[in-house]
Structure formats: C-alpha cells, structure tokens
Amino acid sequence: MTTLSLRALNRALMDRQFLLARTDRTPVEVIGRLVALQAQEPNWAYVGLWSRIHGFTQSELTALLEDRQVVRSGLLRSTQHLAAADDFRRLRPLLQPVLDRTAGSPHFTRNSTGLDAESLVAEGLDLLGGGTLSRKELARRLAERHPGRDGRILAGEVELRTPLVHAAATGAWGSWGNRSAVSVTPAEAWLRQPMATAATATGVKDSAKELIRRYLAAFGPAGVKDVQAWCGLTRLGEVVADMHAELRRYCGPDGRELIDLADAELPDPETPAPVRLLPAFDNALLGHADRTRVISDEDRKRVMPGQAQVRPTFLVDGRVHGTWSLGTGTLRLTPFRPLCATDRAALEQEADRLLPFVGGTTVSYSDTVATRSS
C-alpha cells in the first residue's frame, strides 16, 4: 500500500472541505458535500460557509432554513447540525442508536427512573400535537405530568429519542451563542417528505455504506475509527470489510490502514494552503479520531479545553496556528506561536475580509506576538 504523509492527508482534507480554495457551489450543495454542518451555536455555521464559498451571504442560508430545504436538529454525535432536509430524513434513522445511547446516559436516566422511554416519547409527541412548542413549554408540560422530575431533562430526552426539528429562527443568523428560546416540531410535520422508515438489517448496512462513502468524500482518506468518531456509530469495521472491492487502501504515517473512495483524487502535498478562519465546532477539526492531520495534540488542548468547548481557530499552511474571538466589535487573534511576516499579513487580510460579515470593526492580537523573519 502507498504510505501517505501527514501533509498529504492535510491537503486532502483541505481540498475536500473547500479550504484549499473557495467554491462557487451553492450553500445547500456544500452542506450536502460535508454531509452536515456543525451548528451548536447558529452563527458559527454561517462563518463555516463564508470560509468555503465565494461571496456567501447570511441571507442565503437563512432562506434555506425558512424554505425548509435545510434543517437544524440533533444528528452526528448527538449534537446540533444543519443538514439538507433530504439527508436528514434518511440519515437520522440510521444515527438514531447514537442519540438513544446519549439518552441512556446517567444525566437522563437519573431523572427518568421508572419511566418507559417509548411512553415518554409518546407523551412528548402528544403534547406537541404535530405542531410547534418551545423547549421551555414542552418541559413545563412534561413536568406537570411527572411531578418531582426535571422537565427540561425530560424534554431533552424526548428530543434525542425522536426527530424534532428546530424552527428556522433557531438556526438563523443573530446574536452570538445559543438561543435562549428554541422551538421544536416533529420532523414528520416539518419536512415535505416522510422520514425514512425503520430499515431491515440489510437496509441498515446499505445505509451505513452510503454514509461511509459520503464521509470519505468529505474527510478521506481515513480509518474506520475516524468514521466512527465523526458519526458516533460503532462496529463499522464489518461494513467497511464488506466494501472491500470498492475502496482504495493506504497506509497512514503511523502505520494504520486508511480507506478512501477508489476514484477520489489526492492533491499534490505541496499545494499551497491559504489562511482560513474556521468557526467554533467546525467538523474539519472534529471529523477524525486522529486529528493530527490538522491540529497537533498540544494545540488541541488549547482549542478543546473541556466542557464541550471547541474554540474558533485559524489555519496557516493548512494547520491550526491559533484561535480567534469576537467581542465588542473586535476580532481578536491569538496565535499559538510566532508568525512570519508573510503569514501574518495573510492572516490579517483574511480577518479584515471577515470583519463586515461578523459585524466587527477592528482586528487585533490578544498578546504581542513576535514576528519572525520570512
């Protein structure tokens, strides 16, 4: 097998994520290519598209949400994502075991001891009545039915165990951070087509194969553990083994076997990678178990310090070189190490381009960073 260097893997990831060059594809096409766009906090998804699409504007994504072509809901790794509506209705049933596993964690089970999960979901859907309720109101009504239990946790469990779609305003551009008021609607009532039905064992395997193909198109070459870390499913090795004839195999820099689509091209490892500003939670950083192709283990601790935080980052030569933040109109850059004059100028130019999009007025550095000579 051909051995791929860390740089070759980096350039493949940058290319497939539209981070080597911005694309002219539409936002819904880009979201589809990436399978789903991390949307823990709504504004960040917009920044992720701005970094990947020529001339992207907030109104384009907001219109897709309002037209129900794109939906926001729990999906990969039980976290909030934006996905094309057709992808969501097909992928959510496949990924439901991941969300059920989260719903079975102690945080939820401590609150629902003695309650039947199916009955709880049925109650939640009954309260929604095919319409829309705020999370707060759904929690209040569930708490009324189950005195002594935390209604917010009960509502959260319902949202994990059955597909509920967020109202367009929840995922639309607005204030930074999570919305204080989130409204949910049963997916069957929101989508223009019904959710995919429960699949047979053969159907599940076929759906998993398609998910793996989609993943590799956006994140490959990668290992089985990488696919599992990205989506939350387990035992995908059995599925990959069944796909042997259609996949190409490589050896990674650490000796692990990597898989890729047979017809996928790899860019020249020496292809220049421009400076890019990535949003918080971007899947380019979260799409692998081994993330060293884009971020070092040392820098990873700074970007992902715990408590489910994934800070906004900037890339220099295709790799995380620091973080950035926005506050009181200032876009503040925090490099992890000194930048050469050329890279510093490119970073400031990209930050200046982002400023009007995020409503900022000034670019600054959080600390004085020495500039080494080019």
Side-chain angles (χ1 to χ4, degrees):
M1 291 187 291
T2 301
T3 297
L4 298 179
S5 67
L6 206 59
R7 187 177 178 88
L9 291 176
N10 173 270
R11 290 308 190 258
L13 178 65
M14 294 297 103
D15 183 45
R16 297 181 194 191
Q17 290 282 315
F18 304 111
L19 294 171
L20 276 188
R22 284 182 168 90
T23 181
D24 289 320
R25 297 190 190 193
T26 66
V28 73
E29 289 174 334
V30 170
I31 293 170
R33 167 63 177 269
L34 302 180
V35 187
L37 201 65
Q38 179 71 261
Q40 286 293 91
E41 298 179 11
N43 277 11
W44 292 121
Y46 287 77
V47 176
L49 291 176
W50 179 89
S51 292
R52 291 170 165 90
I53 300 174
H54 283 296
F56 172 74
T57 62
Q58 292 99 332
S59 61
E60 293 176 85
L61 178 54
T62 298
L64 291 172
L65 288 163
E66 292 174 344
D67 196 40
R68 305 188 185 188
Q69 293 185 57
V70 169
V71 299
R72 182 179 189 255
S73 183
L75 197 61
L76 301 170
R77 305 181 301 278
S78 299
T79 58
Q80 305 305 321
H81 277 75
L82 295 183
D86 191 53
D87 282 342
F88 177 79
R89 73 177 193 83
R90 291 184 297 107
L91 293 178
R92 174 64 188 251
L94 175 66
L95 297 169
Q96 189 57 51
V98 181
L99 290 98
D100 288 339
R101 189 169 67 233
T102 301
S105 65
H107 173 73
F108 294 97
T109 57
R110 281 194 298 264
N111 187 63
S112 58
T113 302
L115 290 182
D116 176 70
E118 288 187 12
S119 297
L120 177 62
V121 169
E123 283 188 1
L125 292 175
D126 178 61
L127 290 170
L128 285 161
T132 300
L133 285 178
S134 69
R135 276 178 172 169
K136 184 177 181 180
E137 180 60 17
L138 178 60
R140 187 189 69 78
R141 296 187 186 185
L142 284 169
E144 283 184 346
R145 292 194 178 192
H146 300 282
R149 301 180 192 268
D150 190 325
R152 293 169 301 174
I153 298 177
L154 292 176
E157 183 172 347
V158 170
E159 193 170 337
L160 285 167
R161 292 193 182 278
T162 192
L164 303 182
V165 173
H166 296 175
T170 300
W173 179 265
S175 59
W176 295 91
N178 281 312
R179 303 292 189 267
S180 58
V182 174
S183 296
V184 293
T185 308
E188 291 282 5
W190 184 264
L191 300 174
R192 293 193 169 95
Q193 291 182 298
M195 296 290 289
T197 56
T200 63
T202 301
V204 169
K205 179 171 280 192
D206 288 343
S207 295
K209 287 180 181 179
E210 181 58 26
L211 183 68
I212 291 166
R213 295 184 193 106
R214 297 279 300 278
Y215 169 81
L216 292 173
F219 295 90
V224 174
K225 289 184 178 178
D226 294 316
V227 188
Q228 294 180 161
W230 166 76
C231 68
L233 291 170
T234 58
R235 299 183 179 180
L236 291 182
E238 302 169 12
V239 182
V240 169
D242 201 40
M243 301 171 68
H244 178 82
E246 65 175 275
L247 298 177
R248 181 179 299 169
R249 281 166 167 72
Y250 296 100
C251 184
D254 58 357
R256 290 188 309 134
E257 182 182 79
L258 304 177
I259 56 173
D260 201 8
L261 299 173
D263 60 352
E265 297 183 2
L266 299 180
D268 184 336
E270 298 310 311
T271 303
V275 168
R276 287 289 182 262
L277 277 77
L278 296 184
F281 310 106
D282 197 285
N283 275 339
L285 270 65
L286 301 176
H288 302 84
D290 178 3
R291 297 163 183 172
T292 55
R293 68 185 66 198
V294 67
I295 186 171
S296 69
D297 289 336
E298 178 185 359
D299 290 347
R300 180 176 172 177
K301 296 174 184 176
R302 300 178 181 182
V303 173
M304 307 168 195
Q307 297 182 327
Q309 292 185 68
V310 183
R311 292 170 176 159
T313 58
F314 62 83
L315 306 179
V316 174
D317 194 30
R319 297 184 60 80
V320 172
H321 205 100
T323 59
W324 63 277
S325 60
L326 185 69
T328 61
T330 298
L331 194 162
R332 187 165 287 102
L333 302 164
T334 306
F336 294 155
R337 59 195 63 86
L339 294 155
C340 71
T342 301
D343 290 339
R344 186 180 179 113
L347 174 61
E348 291 171 1
Q349 289 171 5
E350 185 73 354
D352 281 335
R353 284 192 286 268
L354 180 59
L355 268 182
F357 187 88
V358 296
T361 56
T362 307
V363 173
S364 71
Y365 288 91
S366 61
D367 296 299
T368 301
V369 180
T371 303
R372 54 185 172 84
S373 59
S374 302

